[in-house]
Amino acid sequence: MPVTYARQGRIGVITIDNPPVNALSQAVRAGLLQAADAFAADDQADAAVILCAGRTWVAGADISEFGKPPAEPFLPALIDRIEALDKPVVAALHGTALGGGLELALGAHARIAAPATRMGLPEVTLGLIPGAGGTQRLPRLIGTQAALEAITSARQIPAPEALEAGLIDRIAEGDLTQAALDLAHDVAGQPPRRTRDLPAPAVDPAQLQALTERLARSARGQIAQATAVDAVREGLALPFAQGMAVERAAFRALMDSPQRAALIHAFFAERAVAHLPEIQGVDPRPLDRVGVIGGGTMGAGIAVAALLAGLDVTLIERDPDGAQKATATVAGLLDGAVTRGKLPAARRDTILSGAFRTDTDYAALREADLIIEAVFEAMEVKEQVFAALDRVAKPGAVLATNTSYLDVNRIAEATGRPGDVIGLHFFSPAHVMRLLEVVVADRTAPDVTATAFALARRLKKIAVRAGVCDGFIGNRILSHYRAAVDAMVLDGASPYQVDRALTKFGFAMGPYAVSDLAGLDIGYMTRQRKAAERHPRDRVPVFADRLHEMGRLGRKSGRGYYLYGNGAPQEDPELAPLLDRVRADLGLTPRSFTDEEIVARTMAAMVNEAARTVADGTALRPLDVDVVMLNGYGFPRFRGGPMHWADAQGLPAILADIDRFSAEDDHFWQAAPLLRDLAAQGRSLADLNEGTKS
Ligand code: 3H9
């Protein structure tokens, strides 16, 4: 029984106990309805409290029920029933009161919260709007503007702010249950204060307009945010019951939308990646002291990520000058965290004077539980570092490389303890980006993999398991679709059009703007590295080499594909003639591409290579690819990731595109056998996410 009804003195106590997050499953809704009826019929109870067992108040509707046929009782009706009771009900919140959970609390007649409670309506992050009264009750309690801000941003409001805004009535001092019972005693005998009966607040058209414009930028391509604004505005202009009908209709329409399916896939996929079969039941090794080798952008970022998570960090640089620079970089990044309100200034000071130190001698890493190397990307350098680490690291220390493409098996063989070696591919800036590719080499011990996943949890990052290959999951797929994009530019597309088409599709940035940000020397070095293994039919982006030779390195040199001054990046009028010259030298006749064609080719290349990474085990499942591309490569979340997107298009449609492109270039465009097999069997990539909730 996930919901129980009992009585303490003259107060009815309704307890929800549905671990892990007390989601409002059908059983919970049915139980709540029964409990509400029991309370209504209980002459001995003058008021009731609703409490949750476990770590949190209700965190929302049960998302795993979405997309399935809805089952009664429906949440809006249940909340209406509770609100309509003629004896007061107190909601006692703790943990996170989210979505339908907060809506349930809004239907109660008084709300009390433990001091650390956070409240929010995160439905837009799932492609939905609040569907159980949130758009109509929240504005009545805290005003239209504040409600719109909360709903469209999905922000979690801390208890003190909620109290000030009028969202809750009290913050519990001491024991929450006792404080809730006290509040119930205080309101017992009074007429219930129903949120629905509060006057609908005014809507300021100018503020609404400003919000709509802001959302057009911040929620580009997404439909839920604008739908939420409309539901609040239209609903508040009507009597409550009609306002609820407006909300319900909009909620139902979104429930049927591909964006909802994509965003919920992303939600469950991000959790599924942590359930790695090979480490089930395996204890991670102890992890308190971290060593970082190399204090460049990456090393300093990793050090800061670890420091912010409360770990002790020793950073090794080559000489005192390097160590001093690294300290300055780390201090600068910590300052940034203070400025952004992520770190109290006092904690920065204790970190810098206690948990963080630099050294120039590997011997300082003798006590480290985990050592992460972030030195120059060259096999000989890495091998030297690992051989040296082998001499100083204590037995059982995890030895990690932050390489983004090198062979982790070879690096592991440079030590006498390959079982302790693993790849930890952080993304830059490492203290901000949430993705961590955990590269498991042939001989990596399971408890080393478990330690990597435990580290990710501690750093609040999303770890995805990857196998060893050039580029692992993300960079391997990137280099393949990047080749498709560069081929279009060779054939006549403008890099600016490519960037526009792909940002319109939803990518955070276009590939050429990304090149400028990373530095054109990065791609140049990669091409040099791979030149020897190049196939005669591989198409070389000669224009990129030309720009590099001209010293146009991107943002850092003020000029790459774009021009960088004080304002926004500008298109460079000299780029088109340069491209024309390159094409003429290669004997290519330029042709035009539509935006749709650009997207189709980019996506087909991405999906094709992604299917190969799944087929050869580099990625465990299609959902692992999706999580990598969503969190490390700016793939639009509302499209769910390339594998989810491919299923939504239908694999036969993707294959038809690949076959069409293959008629021009059958060297690059060869359909992955996995795609062909799945399509022939009428199956989807999602079928391979077997045993997961997505
Ligand atoms: C909604 O409410 C619609 C209504 O307006 C209208 C309805 C008519 N359902 O994240 P964690 C699972 S929309 C089902 O790792 P944390 C999760 O998959 C909903 N399952 O923990 C995981 O399972 P597993 C609005 C859920 O401590 C486990 O619980 N609400 C749900 O890092 C632990 O989750 C939201 O969008 C759910 N609602 O974070 C809130 N939530 O162990 C979504 C979680 O098998 N949830 N699970 O992998 C969250 O944001 C976080 O889970 C929360 C806890 C902050 C609560």
Side-chain angles (χ1 to χ4, degrees):
M1 285 295 282
V3 182
T4 52
Y5 177 74
R7 196 164 11 77
Q8 259 186 268
R10 293 196 63 84
I11 307 297
V13 179
I14 299 170
T15 307
I16 305 173
D17 187 1
N18 183 31
V21 297
N22 289 315
L24 289 160
S25 63
Q26 190 278 336
V28 171
R29 298 195 302 275
L32 273 171
L33 194 58
Q34 248 178 23
D37 288 343
F39 165 58
D42 187 351
D43 294 341
Q44 304 297 307
D46 302 328
V49 296
I50 307 180
L51 294 165
C52 282
R55 59 174 155 134
T56 182
W57 172 261
V58 175
D62 186 338
I63 303 172
S64 63
E65 289 182 356
F66 291 177
K68 298 179 186 153
E72 291 200 60
F74 299 135
L75 189 58
L78 167 66
I79 295 173
D80 282 353
R81 165 80 181 120
I82 291 170
E83 190 176 47
L85 288 168
D86 51 17
K87 295 181 285 187
V89 175
V90 172
L93 317 181
H94 74 289
T96 41
L98 301 177
L102 183 59
E103 292 173 300
L104 172 65
L106 296 175
H109 309 111
R111 285 154 292 280
I112 182 166
T117 311
R118 301 176 73 84
M119 288 149 255
L121 293 172
E123 284 85 346
V124 293
T125 63
L126 302 172
L128 292 167
I129 63 167
T135 68
Q136 303 304 302
R137 287 194 180 93
L138 189 62
R140 284 176 162 81
L141 273 179
I142 67 171
T144 314
Q145 200 54 31
L148 276 172
E149 190 273 330
I151 294 168
T152 57
S153 72
R155 185 170 73 90
Q156 291 183 9
I157 302 169
E161 184 185 333
L163 180 67
E164 202 164 311
L167 175 48
I168 57 175
D169 304 285
R170 266 185 214 176
I171 292 184
E173 305 291 342
D175 180 58
L176 173 66
T177 305
Q178 188 52 53
L181 289 169
D182 292 346
L183 177 56
H185 277 294
D186 292 351
V187 294
Q190 293 176 17
R193 190 183 86 130
R194 299 189 178 102
T195 312
R196 63 184 294 154
D197 293 339
L198 298 174
V203 178
D204 178 341
Q207 283 183 332
L208 210 62
Q209 182 61 25
L211 176 66
T212 305
E213 283 168 18
R214 213 168 59 235
L215 289 172
R217 290 189 299 276
S218 64
R220 189 165 49 88
Q222 299 175 58
I223 50 178
Q225 286 79 353
T227 309
V229 174
D230 290 344
V232 169
R233 182 176 45 79
E234 286 169 28
L236 289 182
L238 298 166
F240 181 80
Q242 287 174 39
M244 286 292 287
V246 167
E247 177 191 90
R248 195 74 187 146
F251 177 82
R252 286 232 164 102
L254 288 174
M255 192 58 106
D256 292 335
S257 74
Q259 290 198 1
R260 192 277 304 161
L263 286 161
I264 285 180
H265 165 73
F267 177 88
F268 282 123
E270 282 174 355
R271 282 153 183 85
V273 289
H275 299 297
L276 197 61
E278 72 201 61
I279 58 168
Q280 290 312 308
V282 177
D283 286 334
R285 296 183 183 177
L287 180 55
D288 294 308
R289 282 185 289 263
V290 175
V292 177
I293 304 183
T297 311
M298 213 45 181
I302 294 169
V304 169
L307 290 166
L308 290 174
L311 292 160
D312 174 283
V313 176
T314 302
L315 188 149
I316 303 291
E317 257 296 342
R318 253 182 308 208
D319 48 41
D321 190 37
Q324 209 175 0
K325 282 200 189 109
T327 304
T329 312
V330 166
L333 295 176
L334 290 173
D335 285 346
V338 172
T339 312
R340 289 196 311 278
K342 300 252 178 232
L343 181 72
R347 226 171 83 65
R348 170 201 51 200
D349 299 341
T350 44
I351 287 175
L352 286 173
S353 60
F356 177 68
R357 72 204 65 81
T358 56
D359 212 301
T360 54
D361 187 349
Y362 279 21
L365 300 179
R366 218 174 277 128
E367 296 300 317
D369 303 308
L370 161 71
I371 303 173
I372 308 171
E373 152 291 304
V375 300
F376 187 68
E377 279 281 84
M379 184 53 86
E380 314 76 67
V381 183
K382 306 271 187 198
E383 282 174 334
Q384 274 168 22
V385 168
F386 274 78
L389 283 181
D390 205 14
R391 289 192 286 275
V392 297
K394 68 178 182 186
V398 174
L399 308 182
T401 169
N402 176 52
T403 181
S404 44
Y405 54 83
L406 292 173
D407 183 347
V408 183
N409 283 321
R410 230 180 106 183
I411 295 175
E413 294 309 326
T415 73
R417 39 176 136 174
D420 293 340
V421 177
I422 196 161
L424 291 179
H425 181 210
F426 286 83
F427 289 70
S428 189
H431 62 298
V432 176
M433 295 285 283
R434 289 187 71 208
L435 181 64
L436 179 67
E437 271 183 311
V438 174
V439 187
V440 180
D442 292 350
R443 296 173 67 183
T444 304
D447 64 343
V448 169
T449 308
T451 310
F453 274 76
L455 171 76
R457 265 196 308 282
R458 189 112 179 234
L459 303 186
K460 295 198 170 60
K461 293 198 187 294
I462 302 175
V464 178
R465 184 205 197 276
V468 177
C469 68
D470 194 307
F472 316 129
I473 298 175
N475 281 347
R476 169 173 163 185
I477 295 171
L478 167 69
S479 69
H480 194 74
Y481 73 79
R482 187 56 209 240
V485 166
D486 286 339
M488 285 188 273
V489 170
L490 284 169
D491 289 337
S494 143
Y496 305 129
Q497 186 198 359
V498 169
D499 278 2
R500 277 194 297 272
L502 292 173
T503 45
K504 200 165 77 188
F505 176 78
F507 275 94
M509 286 173 88
Y512 294 99
V514 170
S515 289
D516 275 0
L517 187 64
L520 267 59
D521 45 334
I522 302 289
Y524 183 81
M525 283 188 319
T526 306
R527 285 190 295 281
Q528 298 288 99
R529 177 173 65 87
K530 291 189 172 174
E533 63 201 55
R534 200 177 281 156
H535 187 279
R537 290 189 62 194
D538 285 351
R539 302 194 64 191
V540 182
V542 182
F543 54 89
D545 291 344
R546 229 24 88 69
L547 290 175
H548 180 263
E549 286 152 15
M550 293 163 76
R552 295 175 57 152
L553 300 184
R555 268 175 200 253
K556 60 184 161 196
S557 70
R559 198 171 189 192
Y561 289 96
Y562 293 83
L563 294 171
Y564 298 90
N566 288 330
Q570 300 293 317
E571 295 187 7
D572 184 347
E574 289 180 25
L575 186 66
L578 182 143
L579 289 170
D580 282 338
R581 280 197 299 280
V582 169
R583 292 175 187 128
D585 290 349
L586 296 169
L588 296 166
T589 312
R591 65 184 175 98
S592 62
F593 289 81
T594 62
D595 287 0
E596 292 70 32
E597 183 76 357
I598 288 170
V599 170
R601 284 174 183 262
T602 309
M603 288 306 303
M606 192 182 302
V607 170
N608 208 21
E609 188 63 18
R612 291 190 193 108
T613 64
V614 172
D616 68 18
T618 302
L620 215 52
R621 299 151 296 195
L623 69 81
D624 296 74
V625 171
D626 284 341
V627 173
V628 166
M629 300 314 288
L630 290 173
N631 291 285
Y633 296 84
F635 193 93
R637 192 175 175 85
F638 63 85
R639 297 193 190 274
M643 305 275 79
H644 178 88
W645 180 87
D647 277 346
Q649 307 308 298
L651 298 185
I654 309 277
L655 283 165
D657 275 350
I658 294 175
D659 290 342
R660 184 161 59 87
F661 306 145
S662 174
E664 283 166 22
D665 178 356
D666 62 2
H667 167 65
F668 181 82
W669 292 105
Q670 298 179 28
L674 177 67
L675 291 180
R676 287 231 190 272
D677 291 350
L678 287 173
Q681 296 161 15
R683 298 170 73 207
S684 65
L685 287 157
D687 291 338
L688 305 178
N689 293 331
E690 201 189 328
T692 63
K693 288 190 203 162
S694 71

